[in-house]
Amino acid sequence: MPDKLLKMFLRQQASMIEDDTSVFLQTIKDKARKPKSILLPKRKVAVVMGCMLFVLGLGGVGYATNAFPFFKIPINEEQRQAQKEIELQLAEQQNMIDEDIVESLPVNMKGFKQIDMVERRRTLDHDPLTSIYGAILGAQEVGSFKPSVYLHEDHKRGYVFVKHSDGSNHVYFLELDQEGRWVITDIRSGKGKVIKPIQ
């Protein structure tokens, strides 16, 4: 008698497990038939893309059209020489871009000094300037050149220079608020020279 009771109990459990599995599989099939959209709002996509570009830019890989051909440490003299030449070309190009921006959108550069954002990120644990820089990167167009950041000697004002591939120039005016956050106070735009990316 206990054997019959045990077999009946096991059959009921097996039946319940089978029913639970069927319900689970049916639920999965129903979900598969009605896929949910995973599209994000444009603003979130821009922020995510901007952060990704910012991380890549700070990692030394390059930014947009200023791509760096070596993704590793040079291992021989030929690679070291090529790296130096490319770094020199990129620096010259950045100076040319910044000069074009200052000419097309007159800004007062007295007391302002260019900041290396890669070095700044390495040396400072939490820097509000990297947050605003990342937000500006998020608003970039594909093919834009790497922005330049200038801070005033009082460390309360700054500029971010942006050049797009069509030659348009943009200056973001920054100020440090009372809570220690950088805010964009003005954006000026104008037509500048079209500069070809380094090949």
Side-chain angles (χ1 to χ4, degrees):
M1 184 75 170
D3 261 352
K4 275 188 169 184
L5 192 57
L6 182 61
K7 284 181 183 178
M8 188 175 69
F9 179 74
L10 289 174
R11 277 192 200 121
Q12 285 177 343
Q13 277 189 334
S15 171
M16 288 172 58
I17 290 171
E18 187 177 41
D19 287 344
D20 287 347
T21 306
S22 299
V23 169
F24 174 74
L25 291 174
Q26 187 60 42
T27 303
I28 296 226
K29 286 178 186 174
D30 290 344
K31 294 283 184 188
R33 282 188 214 130
K34 301 175 191 172
K36 288 189 175 184
S37 174
I38 57 168
L39 295 177
L40 297 172
K42 288 181 182 179
R43 183 174 175 95
K44 286 184 180 178
V45 170
V47 170
V48 169
M49 293 299 293
C51 290
M52 288 171 44
L53 289 173
F54 180 63
V55 168
L56 286 175
L58 291 181
V61 175
Y63 178 76
T65 57
N66 292 340
F68 196 77
F70 296 112
F71 295 95
K72 59 183 179 180
I73 297 173
I75 57 172
N76 59 39
E77 190 54 39
E78 182 182 353
Q79 288 181 358
R80 280 192 271 294
Q81 187 62 32
Q83 181 183 19
K84 285 179 187 177
E85 287 175 20
I86 290 169
E87 286 173 352
L88 181 62
Q89 289 175 356
L90 288 173
E92 289 172 359
Q93 183 184 55
Q94 195 64 54
N95 287 337
M96 189 169 44
I97 289 170
D98 291 354
E99 288 172 6
D100 181 51
I101 291 172
V102 170
E103 286 175 17
S104 69
L105 301 166
V107 292
N108 180 8
M109 295 302 292
K110 186 176 181 181
F112 285 84
K113 181 181 174 188
Q114 189 171 13
I115 300 299
D116 181 355
M117 290 302 292
V118 174
E119 187 61 33
R120 188 174 175 96
R121 182 169 168 132
R122 283 186 194 139
T123 57
L124 298 174
D125 288 335
H126 176 68
D127 180 23
L129 186 58
T130 58
S131 299
I132 196 80
Y133 182 74
I136 292 169
L137 283 175
Q140 294 279 350
E141 293 177 1
V142 174
S144 297
F145 293 88
K146 182 179 178 184
S148 295
V149 179
Y150 289 85
L151 285 185
H152 192 267
E153 55 196 18
D154 66 7
H155 297 281
K156 294 182 180 178
R157 295 177 285 156
Y159 302 130
V160 178
F161 291 173
V162 175
K163 177 175 268 307
H164 293 262
S165 58
D166 66 357
S168 61
N169 294 330
H170 310 276
V171 177
Y172 292 80
F173 291 76
L174 307 177
E175 284 187 16
L176 194 62
D177 68 10
Q178 293 177 343
E179 287 135 22
R181 293 179 310 212
W182 287 96
V183 293
I184 299 171
T185 58
D186 191 15
I187 302 172
R188 294 185 191 162
S189 300
K191 188 69 179 157
K193 298 175 189 169
V194 175
I195 295 180
K196 293 182 181 179
I198 294 173
Q199 300 296 324

